[in-house]
Amino acid sequence: MGPAGCGKSTYVKTMRRHCENARRSVHVVNLDPAAEHHDEDQTPSVDIKELITVDDVMESLNYGPNGGLVYAMEYLLDHIDWLEDELGDYEDDYLFIDCPGQIELYSHMTIMRRLAQHLEQMGYRVCAVYMIDSQFLFDNSKFLGGALSALSAMIRLEITHINVLTKVDLIPKRMRKSRKLEQFLELDVITLEADLDKEMGPRYRALNHAICSLLEDFSMVNFVPLDITSTQSIFNLLQMV
């Protein structure tokens, strides 16, 4: 899960390849009705687009992209027996579920929580993997927003949850080995608040303090780094999941 462009599909592709190389039985489930599959090795075992697509909703109901996506996910819940039938052959296997990039589905609506609950009722042990782009590290306000969206998803979904900082291989090597990266991974809100105050000026200090205090009070958010060029990084994350 996570915002569009954060690396969800790349994560799924990387993890599937890693598991297959280790001779583990895995399958990919695409629950993004707007997704496009270009590579042969990205073809999912189960695809919501066989049930409904955002394009079909937009054409038939004159909805926009966001409304079409929400409608499609609600349609899936109304026809959950389709998903049960599709997953029937994989009940003993490891599933990677690629979800849509619309944040509202995780932070404001109950759609994904209801879906997760249904999967648990089917006997699956569900773990949410929420991702944000490592490029957020270069903008403290963006990183703060990412941390808040991760917290909101954790509270809303109420399932086992891991937050992942993706594309770590794209940040400068000196930063990967610095204390600065650890501050972001462990969500050092005191340092984050101080940096925000320097960047944004006095008028925003009360707001910065309120938001950072919220994150500190819950004390739930931290991040696991993912470098898809490192087998050890992939293995470490998979072990946590």
Side-chain angles (χ1 to χ4, degrees):
M1 303 180 296
C6 69
K8 298 185 297 295
S9 296
T10 300
Y11 163 84
V12 170
K13 179 180 178 180
T14 301
M15 288 298 182
R16 176 164 74 171
R17 183 181 299 134
H18 179 85
C19 290
E20 287 176 345
N21 289 339
R23 300 186 181 279
R24 297 181 65 175
S25 181
V26 297
H27 298 278
V28 171
V29 178
N30 174 50
L31 290 188
D32 184 355
E36 296 181 5
H37 309 294
H38 300 290
D39 300 333
E40 184 176 343
D41 61 351
Q42 287 184 296
T43 303
S45 300
V46 179
D47 193 349
I48 189 177
K49 295 180 74 173
E50 296 179 2
L51 175 69
I52 189 171
T53 70
V54 168
D55 288 342
D56 289 342
V57 175
M58 292 171 61
E59 183 178 349
S60 60
L61 299 177
N62 293 320
Y63 282 4
N66 290 341
L69 182 59
V70 172
Y71 180 92
M73 298 307 294
E74 290 178 338
Y75 186 88
L76 171 63
L77 287 175
D78 290 339
H79 298 79
I80 199 67
D81 55 325
W82 173 86
L83 184 60
E84 290 181 3
D85 292 341
E86 292 292 309
L87 295 178
D89 295 333
Y90 310 129
E91 57 186 10
D92 296 323
D93 297 334
Y94 198 99
L95 303 179
F96 290 103
I97 303 178
D98 197 356
C99 297
Q102 191 169 0
I103 298 300
E104 294 90 331
L105 294 173
Y106 318 108
S107 61
H108 295 77
M109 301 177 178
T110 61
I111 293 174
M112 299 308 292
R113 180 174 65 185
R114 289 157 55 198
L115 178 61
Q117 290 172 342
H118 195 87
L119 288 171
E120 289 179 328
Q121 291 171 3
M122 291 172 61
Y124 288 100
R125 299 173 64 182
V126 183
C127 176
V129 180
Y130 192 91
M131 303 180 175
I132 68 168
D133 195 319
S134 63
Q135 298 307 304
F136 282 22
L137 301 183
F138 301 100
D139 187 326
N140 286 313
S141 59
K142 284 186 178 180
F143 182 78
L144 184 64
L148 282 174
S149 65
L151 175 62
S152 180
M154 295 175 81
I155 295 172
R156 176 66 66 177
L157 293 174
E158 298 180 337
I159 57 177
T160 303
H161 191 112
I162 297 173
N163 297 309
V164 176
L165 188 68
T166 63
K167 307 179 186 179
V168 171
D169 49 299
L170 299 182
I171 64 178
K173 289 184 178 180
R174 65 180 184 278
M175 186 174 184
R176 287 183 236 171
K177 300 178 180 180
S178 69
R179 172 60 185 161
K180 188 70 173 177
L181 178 58
E182 289 298 323
Q183 290 174 351
F184 284 111
L185 295 177
E186 298 300 327
L187 196 57
D188 182 350
V189 293
I190 295 176
T191 302
L192 180 60
E193 181 180 348
D195 290 343
L196 285 167
D197 287 345
K198 293 176 183 177
E199 296 170 3
M200 303 178 69
R203 64 183 297 184
Y204 295 104
R205 286 180 179 173
L207 177 61
N208 292 338
H209 179 71
I211 295 175
C212 289
S213 295
L214 176 67
L215 290 167
E216 187 173 26
D217 288 344
F218 275 96
S219 192
M220 294 169 61
V221 180
N222 55 20
F223 294 92
V224 179
L226 175 60
D227 176 353
I228 63 170
T229 66
S230 168
T231 301
Q232 188 62 49
S233 177
I234 297 170
F235 176 79
N236 291 342
L237 178 55
L238 188 59
Q239 288 294 100
M240 292 181 183
V241 175

